[in-house]
Amino acid sequence: IEKTMVLGLDVCHPTFTSWNASRDRPSIAVLTSLYGDIMTPNVKQQKSCMYLNNNRVEICGYKQMTAMMTSVIAQQLLREDVTDLPQSIWMFRDGLSDSQIPASVSKELTALLLAVREVKKLKEIKDKYSNIRSWKPKYEWLVIQKRILDRFAVKRDRNVGHHGHHHRHDNRNNDNTMRLGHSSPAFIIPSDIVSGRYFEFYFQIGRRSPRKIMFIRDDLKLRDGALMDVAKYIYAQHWLYPPCIPFSMGPLGYPTPIKYADHYASMWQDFIGLVD
């Protein structure tokens, strides 16, 4: 885990009610990264990069994405407390519809592959890492879809009150519908084919709306025998956002790298005034 670099990419679009105002404002793309002992949350482990995308354009351009990836990866590798190269790089991509995935693969995923080659050429990197030429990390590219219609375990348990208190009822008429607690995780793999091209599954925490997660690239072959490890790792990513500690609000609704990217993108979007 300590030799895994985790990236998160999100794009924040202008949401003013005035159509003329929102039409001229750029969308903000933010790429964030975590590397090292990320299971012990620390903002020093997080590095990010921001780019002004075209108005309401979700997919980042190839050149712009390459520059962002190169900057973020180089920032992580040049940290004083980092001495090892990551063996794998995970990307959590937020906000894509099914129709946008091919464009994301051709531009953003390809940009990541090029960025690694560009990082290996940097003088500071070559001076610090003697084995940089042989560095060939594995890539895991996941798309997180939040606005989906699928729902699981939503039927209310008649034995549980509004505040979680149990009441005695006759259970003979109750069905065996799966029910989740307020923070119980569920890793749901459909028994039928969801997509003929990508491996897809659902992740749900408690009674929140589920997230559909799609493996776009799986160099580690995790889907072939390590699905429980994937589920645990993704669930752990929901607890690593430092402002949430000591977890008074429970886990996030999506992985921490995406939360970082969403936070910074929204913040930069707020900095843009009506007359800018």
Side-chain angles (χ1 to χ4, degrees):
I1 293 177
E2 293 183 358
K3 292 187 178 182
T4 298
M5 184 179 295
V6 185
L7 308 177
L9 177 63
D10 193 21
V11 180
C12 181
H13 304 290
T15 56
F16 277 137
T17 55
S18 173
W19 182 79
N20 289 329
S22 63
R23 181 184 61 179
D24 299 329
R25 290 164 59 97
S27 295
I28 308 295
V30 172
L31 176 69
T32 59
S33 63
L34 296 170
Y35 184 47
D37 186 16
I38 63 175
M39 295 303 170
T40 304
N42 188 335
V43 292
K44 294 182 179 180
Q45 301 166 348
Q46 188 275 138
K47 301 296 182 182
S48 61
C49 185
M50 183 269 290
Y51 172 72
L52 298 179
N53 215 11
N54 291 332
N55 178 261
R56 306 203 68 80
V57 174
E58 180 67 33
I59 305 298
C60 298
Y62 174 72
K63 292 183 179 180
Q64 295 80 7
M65 197 66 196
T66 302
M68 293 174 66
M69 294 279 191
T70 303
S71 173
V72 166
I73 296 175
Q75 288 182 64
Q76 289 287 5
L77 296 184
L78 292 175
R79 282 167 42 195
E80 294 183 356
D81 60 326
V82 172
T83 58
D84 297 319
L85 295 167
Q87 296 179 354
S88 62
I89 299 178
W90 287 56
M91 163 62 83
F92 290 98
R93 180 59 164 98
D94 181 55
L96 293 182
S97 63
D98 291 344
S99 61
Q100 294 172 325
I101 291 178
S104 174
V105 171
S106 65
K107 296 181 180 179
E108 298 173 348
L109 176 55
T110 306
L112 173 59
L113 305 180
L114 177 60
V116 171
R117 294 198 293 267
E118 293 297 321
V119 168
K120 295 167 69 173
K121 298 177 183 178
L122 298 177
K123 183 180 183 302
E124 299 88 344
I125 299 295
K126 291 190 291 185
D127 292 342
K128 182 175 181 179
Y129 300 95
S130 59
N131 60 338
I132 188 64
R133 296 184 62 182
S134 61
W135 180 43
K136 295 182 179 179
K138 301 291 185 181
Y139 301 99
E140 298 290 317
W141 190 284
L142 288 78
V143 171
I144 314 294
Q145 294 183 341
K146 293 182 293 188
R147 296 182 178 90
I148 62 175
L149 299 178
D150 305 272
R151 294 293 183 269
F152 305 95
V154 296
K155 188 172 182 179
R156 180 178 174 80
D157 190 344
R158 288 180 290 178
N159 292 332
V160 180
H162 291 283
H163 300 287
H165 302 294
H166 286 262
H167 305 295
R168 292 185 178 180
H169 285 281
D170 187 356
N171 294 329
R172 289 176 296 179
N173 295 326
N174 287 356
D175 57 25
N176 294 322
T177 302
M178 179 180 66
R179 299 175 180 88
L180 298 175
H182 290 288
S183 59
S184 301
F187 187 70
I188 304 162
I189 303 177
S191 58
D192 54 350
I193 297 176
V194 179
S195 172
R197 187 172 184 181
Y198 304 113
F199 176 62
E200 303 179 4
F201 55 91
Y202 299 89
F203 193 86
Q204 178 174 330
I205 297 179
R207 296 165 187 167
R208 306 178 187 179
S209 299
R211 308 290 187 248
K212 185 166 77 170
I213 302 178
M214 308 172 65
F215 266 100
I216 307 302
R217 178 159 177 162
D218 182 19
D219 287 354
L220 296 175
K221 307 299 181 183
L222 298 175
R223 59 172 294 184
D224 295 335
L227 290 180
M228 286 304 300
D229 294 329
V230 172
K232 293 177 182 178
Y233 187 72
I234 293 178
Y235 181 55
Q237 293 290 327
H238 290 67
W239 292 89
L240 305 181
Y241 190 56
C244 289
I245 296 174
F247 314 124
S248 59
M249 302 299 293
L252 297 172
Y254 39 88
T256 295
I258 293 180
K259 177 60 179 179
Y260 270 118
D262 175 74
H263 171 74
Y264 291 128
S266 299
M267 183 175 63
W268 278 103
Q269 191 67 255
D270 292 338
F271 286 160
I272 302 176
L274 291 175
V275 296
D276 292 336

